[in-house]
Amino acid sequence: MYSFTNDYSEGAHKNILAALIKTNFEQASGYGTDHFCEEAANMIKGLVGNEDSSVHFLAGGTGTNTAAISAFLRAHEGVIAPKSGHINVHESGAIEAVGHKIIQVEETNGKLTAGQVEEIAKAHYEDEEKEHTVKPKMVYISNPTEEGTIYYKDELIKLREVCDKYDMFLYVDGARLGSALTSVDNDLTLKDLGSLTDAFYIG
């Protein structure tokens, strides 16, 4: 029986273990500056279809979300996320602990729509006292969602259009991205993610 509780409940594939054993005693510099990371980064850039993209290696989803959101946002800016989103429910307040408000949205099946995002952005910019409120600057989604649903290309295109309209970042939590990309219903590719989002990660 297989459990899909999380990505950490499974062991490593035998080919990964074999590669680790093969290179175990090879000395290399740390912190992502070794030739293995360089090779991996170049492979990812090729799959994303953007040689100018920036690839970083981090440990764990919460740390990655916190680092990315902190890097993208200024102190008065917040992130729009589904109410069930991982950053809102399961990350022990990490995002708000570093000073960025999560603007929660009641979603359907874990997914945000472009209409919901536009409604929040529009409300902010039409507020005569908007300088006193948190500015929505990023849209956070996870693919697949915490409900197990996936985003389709047309949904991402519409989210991108709204983000461009209101000068917001689109960020994808990809802790389970492999599951989304291999779903029989999926129509997104890594190249799509590279062109439609400002940042995403592969868990």
Side-chain angles (χ1 to χ4, degrees):
M1 184 171 134
Y2 286 96
S3 170
F4 295 98
T5 302
N6 59 54
D7 296 341
Y8 314 116
S9 60
E10 296 293 326
H13 190 279
K14 63 181 181 178
N15 292 347
I16 293 173
L17 289 175
L20 288 171
I21 291 169
K22 182 180 177 182
T23 59
N24 186 48
F25 293 107
E26 182 176 331
Q27 289 189 328
S29 58
Y31 307 105
T33 60
D34 59 276
H35 71 92
F36 296 113
C37 287
E38 184 180 352
E39 290 171 16
N42 288 333
M43 286 171 42
I44 292 168
K45 289 178 183 181
L47 292 169
V48 169
N50 183 355
E51 295 300 322
D52 294 325
S53 58
S54 183
V55 178
H56 303 277
F57 298 97
L58 294 94
T62 300
T64 302
N65 287 335
T66 305
I69 292 170
S70 296
F72 274 103
L73 303 185
R74 296 176 65 192
H76 63 285
E77 295 171 336
V79 53
I80 301 169
K83 188 175 181 180
S84 64
H86 211 70
I87 60 169
N88 189 48
V89 179
H90 290 117
E91 296 189 348
S92 303
I95 305 307
E96 292 190 341
V98 295
H100 298 292
K101 182 171 179 59
I102 299 171
I103 304 164
Q104 302 176 41
V105 178
E106 289 284 354
E107 80 288 344
T108 302
N109 296 325
K111 295 165 77 171
L112 284 182
T113 67
Q116 289 174 309
V117 171
E118 181 154 28
E119 186 177 340
I120 290 170
K122 187 177 180 183
H124 173 78
Y125 285 104
E126 290 182 353
D127 186 348
E128 292 181 3
E129 298 184 352
K130 65 178 181 290
E131 65 270 20
H132 301 295
T133 61
V134 174
K135 177 182 179 181
K137 184 65 177 176
M138 175 184 279
V139 173
Y140 165 98
I141 60 172
S142 51
N143 193 30
T145 69
E146 278 61 46
E147 305 297 325
T149 51
I150 62 172
Y151 281 89
Y152 299 103
K153 188 173 181 178
D154 67 315
E155 294 173 313
L156 224 56
I157 289 171
K158 290 173 183 174
L159 284 169
R160 175 77 269 159
E161 289 171 352
V162 173
C163 286
D164 288 342
K165 181 177 179 179
Y166 291 97
D167 192 27
M168 294 187 292
F169 300 113
L170 180 56
Y171 174 71
V172 175
D173 180 332
R176 301 173 296 271
L177 188 59
S179 298
L181 294 176
T182 55
S183 166
V184 293
D185 296 323
N186 175 60
D187 64 354
L188 281 170
T189 66
L190 284 174
K191 285 188 178 180
D192 293 328
L193 287 165
S195 64
L196 294 172
T197 71
D198 294 288
F200 70 94
Y201 77 88
I202 306 167

